[in-house]
C-alpha cells in the first residue's frame, strides 16, 4: 500500500561501518467464520533516523480497505486500516530494505558512556516528561520490594555507574534466565519471570524495564528484528519479531539492551516500534466489528543481509 521510498544517508555516515538488510514480515489471520467488518493498526515500518536508514518500504494487505498513515503518540510510523468487506483470510506483508549504521544509536558496539550515576538527578519538568517510562508495573508491594532489592545489588556492585549497572543486568539475565517459548502469556508479570527464570524475549525485556524503573532509570519497550547470523555469542532467534529494552541516559539518549542475548544493541538489531510496553508497540492489532470466529494467527519473519 505504501510506495517504496528512497532516502540518502547523511554524508558523515557514508564512511561508517553499516549493514544492509532485506526484511519480510508476513502476518496471516484465518477465521472459521467470515469477518464482515474490521479495523486494524499496523506498526511495521522500521525507524528512519540518523543511525538507521529506510531505503525501501512497502506494505501490502490481501483484503481491500481504507488506509491512513499517521504517527502515534510514541513517534511510531503507523497505519490505520479499515475493512468493510467480508473475508476469511487476511495477509499483511511488510517488505523493507534497511541500512543499519554502527555507532551509538542505541548502545552500539563502539558506544562509550560517560560517567553517569544512579540515582539520576532530574529537573521537575524532566521527571514529568519521563513519567510514563519511570512507573514500574502495578505489582504486589512485596513483589516490588523483592525486585527493588535485587536491582539495588547491581547498582552497588557497579559503584552506582548507570551504564555499567544496566549492562550488568542485561548480561546476568542472559546467564540466569532460560529461553523457553510457550511458558508465559501477555499477562505474565516481570515478577513471575524473575521467580520462574524462564520465558521469551518480551518477558526478559519487561523484567529489565521493571528493574531499571525501580532505580528511577527511564526504560521503554522496543520491537524490531534480529539478524541471527550475527557473530556474538549466545544469540537466540526470535520466531517472529524480536523485543528488547531501551534505557534513557541523560545527555546521551535512548540506548538499547537485549537481555535475551546479553548484549547492547548494535548492527544485528533493526528497530521498528516502541512504547511503554508490548501493547504500545505491537506490530499488528485490530478489532473485529462484525462476524469472525475461530481465529488462527501465523507470523513469519525473514531477515537477509544484502551487503
Amino acid at each position: 500500500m505504501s510506495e517504496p521510498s528512497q532516502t540518502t544517508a547523511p554524508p558523515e555516515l557514508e564512511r561508517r561501518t553499516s549493514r544492509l538488510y532485506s526484511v519480510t514480515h508476513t502476518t496471516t489471520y484465518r477465521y472459521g467464520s467470515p469477518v464482515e467488518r474490521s479495523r486494524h493498526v499496523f506498526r511495521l515500518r522500521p525507524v528512519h533516523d540518523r543511525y538507521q536508514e529506510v531505503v525501501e518500504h512497502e506494505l501490502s494487505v490481501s483484503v481491500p480497505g481504507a488506509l491512513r498513515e499517521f504517527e502515534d503518540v510514541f513517534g511510531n510510523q503507523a497505519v490505520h486500516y479499515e475493512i468493510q468487506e467480508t473475508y476469511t483470510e487476511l495477509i499483511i506483508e511488510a517488505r523493507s530494505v534497511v541500512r543499519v549504521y554502527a555507532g551509538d544509536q542505541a548502545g552500539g558496539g563502539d558506544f562509550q558512556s560517560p560517567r553517569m550515576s544512579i540515582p539520576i538527578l532530574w529537573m521537575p519538568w524532566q521527571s514529568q516528561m519521563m513519567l510514563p517510562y519511570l512507573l514500574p508495573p502495578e505489582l504486589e508491594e512485596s513483589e516490588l520490594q523483592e525486585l527493588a532489592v535485587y536491582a539495588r545489588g547491581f547498582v552497588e556492585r557497579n559503584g552506582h555507574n548507570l551504564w555499567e549497572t544496566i549492562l550488568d543486568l542485561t548480561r546476568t539475565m542472559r546467564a540466569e534466565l532460560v529461553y523457553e517459548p510457550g511458558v508465559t502469556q501477555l499477562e505474565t508479570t516481570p515478577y513471575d519471570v524473575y521467580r520462574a527464570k524462564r520465558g521469551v524475549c518480551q518477558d526478559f525485556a519487561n523484567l529489565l524495564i521493571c528493574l531499571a524503573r525501580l532505580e528511577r532509570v527511564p526504560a521503554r519497550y522496543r520491537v524490531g528484528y534480529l539478524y541471527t547470523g550475527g557473530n556474538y555469542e549466545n544469540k537466540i532467534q526470535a520466531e517472529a519479531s524480536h523485543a528488547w529494552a531501551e534505557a534513557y541516559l541523560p545527555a546521551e539518549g535512548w540506548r538499547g539492551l537485549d537481555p535475551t542475548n546479553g548484549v547492547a544493541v548494535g548492527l544485528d538489531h533493526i528497530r521498528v516500534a516502541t512504547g511503554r510496553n508490548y501493547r504500545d508497540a505491537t506490530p499488528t492489532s485490530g478489532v473485529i466489528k462484525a462476524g469472525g470466529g475461530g481465529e488462527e494467527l501465523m507470523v513469519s519473519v525473514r531477515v537477509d543481509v544484502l551487503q
Side-chain angles (χ1 to χ4, degrees), residues 174-195:
R174 170 62 188 93
E176 295 185 351
L177 304 182
V178 177
Y179 186 91
E180 186 175 338
V183 299
T184 58
Q185 302 174 340
L186 284 179
E187 293 75 23
T188 299
T189 71
Y191 183 78
D192 295 334
V193 178
Y194 167 76
R195 297 294 294 176

Side-chain angles (χ1 to χ4, degrees), residues 106-249:
D110 63 356
F111 171 66
Q112 297 294 325
S113 171
R115 175 75 193 190
M116 290 176 281
S117 298
I118 296 175
I120 301 172
L121 298 178
W122 296 106
M123 295 295 289
W125 65 268
Q126 292 174 316
S127 295
Q128 184 68 25
M129 292 295 292
M130 283 293 177
L131 188 59
Y133 306 109
L134 286 168
L135 292 175
E138 293 188 9
L139 302 175
E140 296 290 339
E141 184 177 354
S142 60
E143 295 176 351
L144 285 173
Q145 288 177 345
E146 186 174 349
L147 289 170
V149 169
Y150 179 73
R152 174 55 45 167
F154 287 87
V155 174
E156 293 175 352
R157 83 183 193 186
N158 286 281
H160 289 250
N161 182 283
L162 173 54
W163 178 249
E164 293 301 325
T165 296
I166 300 299
L167 195 57
D168 189 8
L169 274 167
T170 302
R171 291 167 175 166
T172 300
M173 288 175 62
R174 170 62 188 93
E176 295 185 351
L177 304 182
V178 177
Y179 186 91
E180 186 175 338
V183 299
T184 58
Q185 302 174 340
L186 284 179
E187 293 75 23
T188 299
T189 71
Y191 183 78
D192 295 334
V193 178
Y194 167 76
R195 297 294 294 176
K197 297 193 181 304
R198 59 190 65 246
V200 291
C201 58
Q202 61 260 37
D203 301 310
F204 304 157
N206 285 331
L207 177 55
L208 182 56
I209 289 167
C210 178
L211 295 171
R213 290 179 182 178
L214 286 171
E215 286 298 332
R216 300 294 293 167
V217 176
R220 66 185 184 185
Y221 189 95
R222 172 66 72 181
V223 172
Y225 307 114
L226 175 67
Y227 171 57
T228 59
N231 58 9
Y232 54 82
E233 293 184 15
N234 300 325
K235 62 181 181 293
I236 295 177
Q237 180 174 359
E239 294 180 352
S241 54
H242 191 50
W244 57 91
E246 291 179 346
Y248 187 84
L249 279 61

Side-chain angles (χ1 to χ4, degrees), residues 28-33 35 40 87 286 288 292-298:
T28 303
Y29 293 93
R30 293 195 178 100
Y31 298 90
S33 56
V35 176
H40 308 264
Y87 63 90
I288 295 175
E295 181 182 274
E296 178 184 358
L297 170 64
M298 293 178 291

